[in-house]
Amino acid sequence: MDSQGRPPSEKQFEILIRMHADNKRGLRVYYVYEKMKKFGFKPSVFLYNRIMDALMKCGYFDLALAVYDDFREDGLVEERTTFMVLVKGLCKAGRMEEMLEILQRMRDTLCKPDVFAYTAMIKTLVSEGNVDGSLRVWEEMRRDEVKPDVMAYGTLVMGLCKDGRVERGYELFVEMKEKEVLIDRDIYRVLIEGFVADGKVRCACDLWEDLVGSGYIADLGIYNAVIKGLCTVKQVDKAYKLFQIANQEELEPDFETLNPIMVAYVGMKRLSDFSDLLERLGELGYPVADYLSQFFKLLCADEEKRTMALDVFDVVKTKGHGSVSVYNILMEALYKMGNIQKALSLLSEMRGFGFEPDSSSYSIAISCSVEKGEVQEACSYHEKITEMSCVPSIAAYLSLARGLSQIGEIDAVMLLVRECLGNVESGPMEFKYALRVCHVCKASSAEKVMEVLDEMNQEGVCISEVTYCAIISGMSKHGTIKAAREVFAELKKRKVMTEAEMVVFDEMLIEQTKKKTADLVLSGIKFFGLESKLRAKGCRILD
């Protein structure tokens, strides 16, 4: 517009600022503001507030304060909104000293902040995790003799409890009781959860009684917290009674409610009670199989409890509560424990109980078989997954590729690498670099291969047997034995490859080169139609 001799109007600048502010484009807002000043327009107080608010919300705090300096130089008088925009923005940034200066200026030039202003500040600070800052604002509120309302109390109590300062939160709770401020159920809930997290179950139960005495009905979150607390102090029978009450009150208890009870029964070796609980849950219509899967997953996530999980499973499977999902979880746990034979025995046991293994079962079996040195068996599991029109896990692909590498099946390794990258959305970087190494080998240059391997090191990708197979595959097809040996020698020099590995993979290199050379010779014979002549001379090479 300016180039056409029609300078923009103040209203047009205002529209641009409001548009960019609504779309949270802080820097665009500031750019338009600078242009507005260049054309000699002086923003109104409302527009200044809009500009500063947009900059504060986008995190450009210093720019917002620079605009505020311009605001004051223009001789404009701050409104309550102006101060609140600045104060909330500085609270968000954690710049407490500057915020208190603005707050004092508000007191001096306009008025003391009211309870809504203080609540907004506390809410902002709590949302940013700045609990110390919210306590400073609380002291400022008391200094101004502003009476906090239920929102201010509730926001601070919740912030303190989430920060682990439940005792300080409880002090404010007592203060609310003394001042007869309405206490909502959420405040009770966060305090109960806080006391349970601190191991003060007695205090949590006292609050429960106070909640009921105040005429509230506990929600499921409160039941879950108290049940968890009782189970931590081995009061599992009381916890079970609370579960029954929650069920009678139709609060629809879920796995979060039941998990502490299940863990407590197992920890106290009350496995018969654990079985009875499962039977009761089945009668009540709960998804027992799903709950057991979640339970074993959590139990096996803790290394110290994996043996305990196996003991529990020995009991529940006789009651008909086994599932493919649970078997998979336990197989993986055993694999991680190094108990390979037991993990594979679960695969056979699964079939014995009438369960059909899925792709996850066979994926774990692949890793176990490779670890055991039975690579051919691992390949048979891979074939079963393919027959099911499923895809092995990435861990299974990696394990099988390394197993095939160790027995010198170079072509099979590269085929598996391509299959994995074709089937999996985000394949392992180790495989992606293997294909790149194979491609770079076309130049028959050890230096170029080393450049790729150096990049792998920089990216933190492990140079493994799969990488060595990629070098062998690429050099046997496109390069030379000499170039491959130069790469291996450099890796040995850098102590990436051991002497033993160098000997083994050098032999694989020679065998793979012989194989590729023979394939080329046979292809040439077939291409030129020499098979019949060779057979006529008694040559049996093509048979």
Side-chain angles (χ1 to χ4, degrees), residues 28 84 123 144 186-187 254 308 375 383 429 437 451:
R28 284 283 182 181
M84 286 311 301
K123 192 173 182 179
D144 287 338
D186 285 338
I187 294 175
D254 52 14
M308 188 189 298
V375 180
E383 288 173 10
M429 291 300 294
V437 165
E451 285 176 12

Side-chain angles (χ1 to χ4, degrees), residues 49-202:
N49 290 343
R50 195 70 186 264
I51 294 166
M52 289 186 287
D53 186 49
L55 291 168
M56 286 291 190
K57 284 179 177 175
C58 293
Y60 301 111
F61 307 109
D62 291 324
L63 287 179
L65 292 174
V67 172
Y68 178 56
D69 291 337
D70 293 342
F71 175 97
R72 298 186 72 195
E73 287 173 8
D74 287 342
L76 298 174
V77 178
E78 297 94 334
E79 296 176 345
R80 184 181 181 278
T81 304
T82 312
F83 283 118
M84 286 311 301
V85 165
L86 292 167
V87 165
K88 285 176 68 178
L90 290 168
C91 283
K92 184 179 178 182
R95 293 158 71 162
M96 297 303 297
E97 297 305 325
E98 292 169 280
M99 185 276 291
L100 292 173
E101 287 177 16
I102 299 290
L103 205 61
Q104 186 58 46
R105 193 175 298 154
M106 182 179 179
R107 292 189 188 104
D108 296 339
T109 60
L110 188 64
C111 64
K112 289 180 181 179
D114 59 15
V115 66
F116 301 107
Y118 274 116
T119 302
M121 285 184 259
I122 292 170
K123 192 173 182 179
T124 301
L125 288 161
V126 167
S127 68
E128 294 295 320
N130 190 350
V131 179
D132 290 325
S134 65
L135 289 172
R136 284 188 73 178
V137 171
W138 188 264
E139 292 304 318
E140 291 292 322
M141 181 165 59
R142 286 186 167 170
R143 174 187 157 192
D144 287 338
E145 298 179 350
V146 175
K147 292 182 179 179
D149 61 7
V150 63
M151 183 63 73
Y153 271 115
T155 303
L156 186 55
V157 169
M158 289 182 187
L160 287 165
C161 290
K162 287 178 181 176
D163 195 51
R165 308 187 198 183
V166 65
E167 290 292 346
R168 182 72 179 93
Y170 184 70
E171 289 174 12
L172 291 176
F173 169 81
V174 172
E175 189 178 304
M176 292 175 75
K177 296 281 271 185
E178 291 171 353
K179 293 181 178 179
E180 297 183 351
V181 177
L182 178 67
I183 303 173
D184 63 22
R185 191 164 58 181
D186 285 338
I187 294 175
Y188 277 105
R189 179 176 51 77
V190 294
L191 283 168
I192 288 170
E193 289 173 351
F195 277 127
V196 168
D198 277 359
K200 298 175 181 176
V201 181
R202 180 69 263 172

Side-chain angles (χ1 to χ4, degrees), residues 456-474:
M456 287 179 70
N457 272 326
Q458 289 170 7
E459 294 294 325
V461 181
C462 177
I463 298 174
S464 65
E465 298 96 328
V466 176
T467 313
Y468 305 150
C469 286
I471 295 167
I472 292 171
S473 177

